[in-house]
Amino acid sequence: GLVSQNLTLADGFEDQGQDRDQTGAIAFWDFMEGSGGTAADTSGVAPAIDLTLNGATWLSSYGLAFETGLANAPALTSRKLYDRIADAQTGTQQYSIEAWVTPANTTQGGNDPAHIVSYNANAQLRQRLYSYQMRQRSVAPGSVSTHETNSDYQNLQARLQHVVVTYDRYRGRRFYVDARDTALVPEDYDETPAEALWNWDPGFNLALGNSIGGDRQWEGQIRLLAIYDRVLPQTQIQQNYDAGVGRRLLLRFDVSQWAGPGAYLEFLVMELDNYSYLFCQPALVSNSFNNTVGGIRIMVNGQPSVTGQAFTNVNRVVSQSREPLSPLCSIIPKDQGPASDVFTIDFEYLAGYQDPEAPPPVPPLPPRQFGAALPGLGLRDFARINAAMAAVTGVDPLTPAIQSTYLSLTQQMPPTYDLRTFASAQQVAITKLSLEYCEALVEDTSLRTAFFGPTFDFNVEPLTAFASQADRDAISQAITDRAIGANLADQPSMAETQPVLDQLITDLTASCQATPCNATRTRTVVKAMCTAGIASAAASVH
């Protein structure tokens, strides 16, 4: 067959891509170390704000991953930010924070926004569900204020994004997501008066992935971070977005036996995440023109990927020494990992040689269908789901936060009773609505006493609140009895739900062993258990 040589990532050449514009950067981390306990500030502006990793882990494609913990710097070097930005004599009273980030999900930071970049109370880039949020101290009335991207536009997504927030005394705070100014919609204007930053505290620490106190965990990846003592112009933001991020390799597959001496097929390859690679912009380099190339497939460890084969439809006559074959990228799943995976390129035809793929056999005619039997179970529509959650929790469905969430999610929730129409997007909407109900339930003393009973202490830290199995079972039993149902033949019993809910408690309180948590975490754990119950099929299927 027409199969190229084998290559691994170790055979690739580093591609620097388009140049970034670092003008005005006073701190910069590209996270290229890949190992060790320190991420270096390579801006060249002294003092270097080197970050110590406390729970963050390295990405082989450059960057830090956060599931627990943080990366932080001491106050001594962090003070550079105060001196260059906020000091009344030496500070510019303006700044920009630029980051390439991949949020792990769009459900974190609902009530307590998760900290992506935190300079304590001075300035914080945070996540609240689908929104990026900037909290900042200034001499404006109220001292500390928050501005965020409008949640209706869902600017924050669980994918790699380029995020820039800028601040000056002329326009206040502005967000740019993937080089797009979110303030193009009126709802994203910063309504807080733009004032000087003289009241920043010079003794604060810079932290990534969490607050310095460890109680605002953010989950995701930071692939690059830069802090500037000036407002970045749109042209610089666009240039840095176009430059991309991460480790990019050029893999050159030898095809000289078909396309002539020195010929090779080149791909730009990156690690997209922990599960996949990105193969982009294939080009055939050769000295022989009028070659035809097509039907390109990428194989990993000798097997063609079943997804992401964007180049199978390539059909190009080569007319130049470097012939671009496609501007597209293909997502190729990892197999054994970047240290072991071997890549090969298979061609259907190249330079007059052919290895056509045999067409699949014609499948037999399916048996005649006279309609499937209707399912014996029904699906609650959006109004009944809302009513069921209100009845179970005792929370008034006209509570402003709940009514607003319900109205915004109505079109995403089940519209009919037919169970066969249920989709994953509807489950997401049900879960979001249940979060609001559980939030209202747990934060209302009388409602939670009626639901969970009077014995559980919601006002102590988690390791005390859940210290005994009896305390854990009190919450699990209430959720099972009220949200799922007791002594029902078609519903799971306490013996079946208790291990699952008990493991949820263990998972959500694990970080409290190393870093003490407060009573807010206790209530957050109960809210999560509550959501697991009332967002389950017990609420949506009847």
Side-chain angles (χ1 to χ4, degrees):
L2 305 182
V3 179
S4 75
Q5 69 182 125
N6 295 330
L7 294 180
T8 67
L9 293 186
D11 298 312
F13 302 89
E14 289 274 357
D15 176 68
Q16 301 304 317
Q18 181 176 323
D19 290 337
R20 287 177 46 82
D21 185 348
Q22 297 288 103
T23 304
I26 60 173
F28 179 72
W29 300 266
D30 55 16
F31 306 114
M32 296 176 65
E33 293 89 344
S35 63
T38 303
D41 169 8
T42 59
S43 65
V45 178
I49 310 178
D50 293 340
L51 299 166
T52 300
L53 276 58
N54 293 297
T57 57
W58 292 104
L59 297 170
S60 59
S61 54
Y62 303 153
L64 293 178
F66 298 88
E67 293 183 3
T68 60
L70 71 162
N72 64 290
L76 181 64
T77 55
S78 299
R79 178 172 177 138
K80 173 172 67 172
L81 303 179
Y82 171 86
D83 292 339
R84 298 295 296 257
I85 296 171
D87 185 89
Q89 303 299 321
T90 61
T92 60
Q93 309 305 312
Q94 59 180 290
Y95 64 86
S96 300
I97 299 173
E98 176 195 11
W100 280 95
V101 299
T102 306
N105 55 65
T106 56
T107 58
Q108 59 185 318
N111 298 313
D112 298 319
H115 288 203
I116 304 172
V117 180
S118 173
Y119 188 27
N120 285 49
N122 290 340
Q124 301 160 356
L125 174 61
R126 316 194 298 188
Q127 176 181 350
R128 189 176 77 86
L129 305 179
Y130 283 100
S131 297
Y132 287 105
Q133 188 181 89
M134 192 68 200
R135 186 167 173 83
Q136 169 192 283
R137 172 182 288 172
S138 74
V139 298
S143 181
V144 178
S145 64
T146 301
H147 174 54
E148 68 179 24
T149 59
N150 188 279
S151 59
D152 291 342
Y153 295 93
Q154 299 186 353
N155 288 286
L156 185 148
Q157 295 291 325
R159 60 172 176 80
L160 181 62
Q161 293 187 302
H162 182 246
V163 182
V164 178
V165 59
T166 67
Y167 175 81
D168 62 14
R169 297 178 66 179
Y170 171 59
R171 296 195 303 175
R173 288 164 291 193
R174 295 175 80 94
F175 285 97
Y176 299 82
V177 179
D178 291 342
R180 182 182 59 85
D181 184 354
T182 66
L184 293 176
V185 295
E187 296 89 339
D188 269 359
Y189 288 140
D190 187 1
E191 297 180 355
T192 303
E195 294 288 352
L197 308 174
W198 302 328
N199 59 344
W200 278 20
D201 190 325
F204 282 160
N205 306 68
L206 180 69
L208 276 58
N210 207 332
S211 66
I212 196 66
D215 60 346
R216 293 295 182 90
Q217 184 68 56
W218 178 74
E219 296 180 9
Q221 301 173 359
I222 301 179
R223 307 289 296 274
L224 178 147
L225 175 65
I227 301 176
Y228 303 79
D229 62 357
R230 61 192 286 270
V231 168
L232 295 189
Q234 178 79 52
T235 53
Q236 186 173 355
I237 293 171
Q238 185 68 54
Q239 178 174 338
N240 289 350
Y241 171 67
D242 292 339
V245 72
R247 185 181 183 219
R248 294 177 294 193
L249 297 172
L250 294 174
L251 287 186
R252 295 170 176 169
F253 296 87
D254 182 6
V255 293
S256 58
Q257 61 179 309
W258 302 292
Y264 58 85
L265 180 70
E266 180 180 271
F267 279 95
L268 179 64
V269 181
M270 294 161 277
E271 286 187 67
L272 182 61
D273 51 33
N274 291 334
Y275 309 100
S276 56
Y277 307 100
L278 203 60
F279 277 66
C280 296
Q281 303 167 14
L284 183 65
V285 178
S286 72
N287 295 317
S288 300
F289 301 157
N290 297 320
N291 284 329
T292 303
V293 57
I296 298 172
R297 295 192 306 165
I298 301 163
M299 298 195 293
V300 182
N301 299 325
Q303 297 297 319
S305 168
V306 296
T307 61
Q309 296 290 356
F311 310 122
T312 56
N313 294 324
V314 166
N315 181 7
R316 183 69 65 91
V317 175
V318 178
S319 60
Q320 53 189 322
S321 59
R322 179 184 177 83
E323 182 74 30
L325 303 179
S326 173
L328 302 178
C329 293
S330 282
I331 297 175
I332 303 299
K334 292 181 178 177
D335 183 15
Q336 299 175 15
S340 303
D341 282 341
V342 176
F343 308 103
T344 316
I345 307 301
D346 177 53
F347 302 89
E348 186 174 346
Y349 47 89
L350 175 61
Y353 296 87
Q354 282 191 304
D355 184 24
E357 184 177 355
V362 177
L365 291 174
R368 295 182 65 186
Q369 298 291 331
F370 297 96
L374 292 175
L377 299 176
L379 186 65
R380 288 189 174 96
D381 66 7
F382 55 88
R384 284 175 170 78
I385 288 175
N386 189 43
M389 291 184 181
V392 167
T393 61
V395 175
D396 185 352
L398 298 181
T399 302
I402 290 175
Q403 188 177 35
S404 174
T405 301
Y406 171 67
L407 292 176
S408 69
L409 295 173
T410 297
Q411 293 184 340
Q412 191 179 335
M413 296 178 72
T416 72
Y417 306 135
D418 192 336
L419 189 62
R420 296 170 296 182
T421 67
F422 191 74
S424 58
Q426 295 169 351
Q427 182 61 53
V428 172
I430 293 170
T431 302
K432 289 180 179 179
L433 184 61
S434 68
L435 282 168
E436 294 292 343
Y437 272 103
C438 291
E439 166 74 16
L441 168 64
V442 174
E443 294 299 335
D444 187 296
T445 303
S446 60
L447 286 177
R448 75 189 185 206
T449 299
F451 190 97
F452 296 104
T455 59
F456 187 83
D457 192 346
F458 288 86
N459 298 310
V460 296
E461 53 89 23
L463 297 184
T464 300
F466 297 105
S468 71
Q469 192 61 48
D471 291 330
R472 291 172 171 238
D473 289 348
I475 302 298
S476 298
Q477 188 73 62
I479 292 170
T480 301
D481 290 349
R482 295 178 177 273
I484 298 175
N487 301 317
L488 298 176
D490 57 354
Q491 296 284 52
S493 65
M494 173 63 175
E496 295 169 301
T497 61
Q498 188 272 343
V500 177
L501 294 173
D502 200 62
Q503 185 61 49
L504 183 59
I505 297 172
T506 300
D507 293 342
L508 295 179
T509 59
S511 62
C512 300
Q513 300 285 348
T515 304
C517 301
N518 55 25
T520 299
R521 176 64 70 86
T522 298
R523 294 191 291 275
T524 299
V525 173
V526 177
K527 293 171 192 175
M529 298 172 68
C530 166
T531 300
I534 69 171
S536 67
S540 55
V541 177
H542 67 87

